[in-house]
Amino acid sequence: MGLKFDIVVSNADESSVSADVPVGIYVQELALLKASATAKHLLKRKKAVVISADTVVTLDGEILGKPSNEEEAERMLSRLSGRAHEVYTGYCVMRVSDGKTVCSSVRTTVMFKNLSKETIRRYIASGEPMDKAGAYGIQGLGSMLVKGIDGDYFNVVGLPVAALCDTLEEEFNINIL
């Protein structure tokens, strides 16, 4: 996007956000929590704008987070095999100078190919699924598991770039192009 940025880890306690709300709201609440925690560390940087995001995968209304071990990754990928699922990313933009905050979410449907147990095991052996929501990364080897998508590819990667650009331009007068 051509923006100058620093990466700041929020260290926000994500467990404080309840998943007992619609998924689109849940991911926005996670992004807001991260933005707020980060902004507190940047109070002296009045021109700073914080951008935060959080992505989850859902199947049959259940959130599939990052697998805690290879067995959990295998269960997730087996469940996703041959099926469509949703990827939600919530993002939040917060201006430090006045606290103006805009949060939103984007949903994309992803269809997986039918996966053999051997394909799933080889993919897990690559190590790629272990730090990814839903146990796959569409931007890496996981792209070979995907039959198609309906929606924003970058949302599945973890940051809905087009929607974020619209928010920066329309709400914060930050022109990207």
Side-chain angles (χ1 to χ4, degrees):
M1 292 172 48
L3 299 173
K4 182 182 175 213
F5 66 92
D6 296 319
I7 297 173
V8 179
V9 178
S10 73
N11 295 319
D13 178 13
E14 295 181 31
S15 67
S16 67
V17 177
S18 171
D20 294 337
V21 295
V23 179
I25 293 172
Y26 173 69
V27 292
Q28 287 180 65
E29 288 183 357
L30 288 170
L32 177 59
L33 177 71
K34 291 177 177 181
S36 298
T38 301
K40 288 177 185 175
H41 297 290
L42 302 175
L43 292 176
K44 292 180 182 176
R45 295 174 61 182
K46 295 294 182 191
K47 293 185 180 182
V49 175
V50 176
I51 299 171
S52 62
D54 204 284
T55 302
V56 298
V57 171
T58 64
L59 179 68
D60 299 329
E62 178 186 345
I63 294 175
L64 304 181
K66 296 176 184 177
S68 56
N69 55 48
E70 291 183 355
E71 293 76 24
E72 189 175 12
E74 185 172 0
R75 280 193 300 276
M76 285 183 192
L77 293 166
S78 295
R79 288 182 62 199
L80 293 171
S81 176
R83 300 191 59 201
H85 60 277
E86 316 302 319
V87 177
Y88 290 83
T89 299
Y91 67 92
C92 188
V93 180
M94 181 180 290
R95 188 166 49 214
V96 173
S97 64
D98 63 1
K100 178 177 179 172
T101 303
V102 176
C103 298
S104 190
S105 65
V106 175
R107 178 182 65 117
T108 301
T109 301
V110 179
M111 180 66 190
F112 260 30
K113 298 189 297 187
N114 288 314
L115 307 174
S116 69
K117 288 203 177 287
E118 182 58 29
T119 297
I120 291 171
R121 287 189 190 111
R122 284 195 314 268
Y123 180 59
I124 292 169
S126 77
E128 187 175 273
M130 301 315 297
D131 67 342
K132 308 282 189 298
Y136 76 97
I138 196 170
Q139 70 276 24
L141 294 172
S143 63
M144 293 180 270
L145 311 177
V146 175
K147 184 175 183 178
I149 70 168
D150 181 16
D152 183 349
Y153 165 82
F154 292 102
N155 181 53
V156 183
V157 174
L159 188 64
V161 176
L164 175 59
C165 285
D166 289 346
T167 298
L168 290 171
E169 290 179 348
E170 295 167 11
E171 300 289 340
F172 293 88
N173 296 314
I174 298 173
N175 294 316
I176 303 303
L177 293 176

